Amino acid sequence: MSKTIAVIDYGMGNLRSVSKAIEHVAGADARVLVTDDPVLIQQADRVVFPGQGAARDCMAAISSHHLNQAVLEAAKNKPFLGICMGMQVLMSFSEENQGTPLMELFPGQVRHFPESRDAEGKRLKIPQMGWNQVIQAKAHPLWEGIEDQTRFYFVHSYYVDPEEPDLVAGTTDYGISFTSVIARDNLFATQFHPEKSADAGLRLLANFINWKP
């Protein structure tokens, strides 16, 4: 049976690499749409919400494309994958730009990394840019075939700090232990970029395509 996967386009995200990675794992029976049309997003079988950039710019772009309601409805009602900023904007509020209200799907803050050092005393660079381990905080179908503490690719200066502990599906250490994956019901979202994370990232995307929450 054919599946339609909508990749939300609000003008801020590496959409080509995301869509190509999804096409690669989804197979010939899937249709991948890169779209900013709320109707097509509503009609899709599954939704991917990528993003990058500053929180205030992202929220402004989502609003200018009239996507607020479409994103929230998809996040509540169908298999939904948030990536990077597509995870952060689901929280209540970001410290970025001297404070930015977000979409408020989940209670929690988006915080800037504090200055810190690694085990050898070297100052950690901000943004975190590169490969890091994800510790799986709970079992989930999207972790199938992916070993605990597998490394994924990150690029970010801010991290989510959710108020509800049961939302956390993965954590990562970068000076502090922070939430790198959240999951609830039909929603799964990652701070890392699965489309840039080699075989493990492709496996996660394939698991998402086949997920039946």
Side-chain angles (χ1 to χ4, degrees):
M1 186 176 187
S2 179
K3 300 174 184 174
T4 301
I5 303 139
V7 179
I8 297 177
D9 178 9
Y10 58 100
M12 299 186 68
N14 191 357
L15 301 181
R16 179 173 173 79
S17 62
V18 172
S19 62
K20 289 300 180 185
I22 294 169
E23 288 172 0
H24 178 74
V25 300
D29 65 339
R31 182 183 179 212
V32 180
L33 297 175
V34 177
T35 181
D36 67 349
D37 186 335
V39 174
L40 293 178
I41 294 166
Q42 184 181 30
Q43 293 174 346
D45 299 302
R46 356 196 121 238
V47 173
V48 180
F49 183 37
Q52 59 191 34
R56 182 173 296 169
D57 294 341
C58 284
M59 288 303 298
I62 291 166
S63 294
S64 69
H65 286 257
H66 308 291
L67 288 170
N68 301 65
Q69 195 61 35
V71 170
L72 288 174
E73 288 182 0
K76 294 174 182 177
N77 297 315
K78 59 186 64 187
F80 183 98
L81 176 64
I83 299 173
C84 194
M85 184 58 71
M87 175 173 80
Q88 292 185 8
V89 296
L90 302 176
M91 297 292 119
S92 303
F93 191 81
S94 175
E95 293 180 346
E96 196 170 3
N97 305 120
Q98 298 180 324
T100 301
L102 303 175
M103 301 191 77
E104 299 187 82
L105 182 62
F106 301 115
Q109 303 283 318
V110 178
R111 305 187 186 280
H112 193 268
F113 276 120
E115 291 188 7
S116 54
R117 298 180 182 275
D118 64 16
E120 298 176 351
K122 295 179 181 178
R123 187 173 176 177
L124 292 172
K125 294 180 180 179
I126 302 172
Q128 175 184 201
M129 186 178 297
W131 297 83
N132 204 343
Q133 291 179 321
V134 175
I135 300 164
Q136 297 173 17
K138 60 183 178 182
H140 194 280
L142 267 67
W143 290 137
E144 183 179 349
I146 300 172
E147 292 186 6
D148 191 19
Q149 301 186 43
T150 291
R151 299 173 75 85
F152 292 88
Y153 190 82
F154 291 81
V155 182
H156 64 126
S157 300
Y158 291 78
Y159 64 94
V160 301
D161 183 14
E163 292 181 10
E164 300 170 328
D166 68 342
L167 191 62
V168 180
T171 62
T172 297
D173 291 322
Y174 194 69
I176 59 169
S177 176
F178 70 92
T179 298
S180 53
V181 185
I182 60 173
R184 178 171 292 166
D185 301 328
N186 58 295
L187 180 145
F188 193 93
T190 69
Q191 183 61 65
F192 58 79
H193 289 266
E195 77 280 7
K196 299 179 180 179
S197 296
D199 290 345
L202 292 176
R203 180 57 189 263
L204 190 145
L205 291 174
N207 289 343
F208 172 71
I209 298 302
N210 296 308
W211 182 30
K212 298 176 181 178

